[in-house]
Amino acid sequence: MFQELIASAVVPLRSGVLRIVDEAIAANVPIAVCSTSNEAAVRTLVETLMGEERYGKFAFFCGDAVPKKKPAPDVYLLAAEKLDVSPSGCVVIEDSGIGLQAAKAAGMACLVTKSTYTGGDDFSSADRVVDELGEPGSGECVTLDNLQALLGAATTA
């Protein structure tokens, strides 16, 4: 059922996601999806909502890629290792307290986008918390430069 909803594009992307992905791709920044969800569902979601070209730029670390799930840092550490990036050079965009805990335990900067499902979670350890990534001219608009600035802030905090 969920796979069918995804394939029919009923599940929309949040504001700013495509823009920030496009900025990362244009700047040759490695991008990955790290999820405890089923890999087939995650891949379908990304390909359907972002298109084949963007989909091809992502690395995927899903499902049972690691034995310990979030809030353990394992999935993020695996992604950093496979992408050949130091954990301190990674910025994670999360929407849950458990994901935030995992990112911080991995030694990574983390921006949280609040969601209706996780709005009550504790995000006090996040490097930045926003309602959404946003679009230019729509109030708050998180850019790739903003995310890269979190790297310096996370190491000096």
Side-chain angles (χ1 to χ4, degrees):
M1 173 75 171
F2 183 66
Q3 288 279 64
E4 292 168 8
L5 284 174
I6 294 168
S8 67
V10 171
V11 179
L13 274 175
R14 295 179 66 189
S15 173
V17 171
L18 288 181
R19 179 189 47 74
I20 202 80
V21 166
D22 288 344
E23 286 184 41
I25 291 169
N28 292 314
V29 173
I31 52 177
V33 176
C34 298
S35 176
T36 56
S37 296
N38 172 279
E39 185 169 344
V42 172
R43 286 180 173 273
T44 299
L45 185 70
V46 172
E47 186 170 23
T48 301
L49 298 179
M50 295 191 188
E52 191 175 327
E53 188 174 334
R54 289 182 189 98
Y55 169 83
K57 303 292 184 180
F58 278 89
F60 293 87
F61 303 93
C62 305
D64 295 323
V66 293
K68 293 182 191 170
K69 308 293 184 222
K70 298 174 188 175
D74 302 28
V75 72
Y76 288 127
L77 293 172
L78 176 65
E81 177 187 330
K82 296 293 185 187
L83 294 173
D84 196 27
V85 178
S86 166
S88 64
C90 296
V91 177
V92 174
I93 299 174
E94 260 295 349
D95 67 352
S96 72
I98 289 174
L100 169 61
Q101 290 173 40
K104 298 313 282 183
M108 298 177 179
C110 186
L111 175 136
V112 171
T113 60
K114 297 181 207 171
S115 79
T116 54
Y117 304 107
T118 61
D121 289 6
D122 177 9
F123 298 134
S124 60
S125 65
D127 296 288
R128 184 171 174 189
V129 179
V130 297
D131 290 327
E132 60 183 21
L133 297 174
E135 296 293 347
S138 68
E140 188 157 37
C141 179
V142 177
T143 65
L144 186 60
D145 287 342
N146 298 143
L147 295 177
Q148 289 173 325
L150 294 179
L151 294 174
T155 57
T156 58

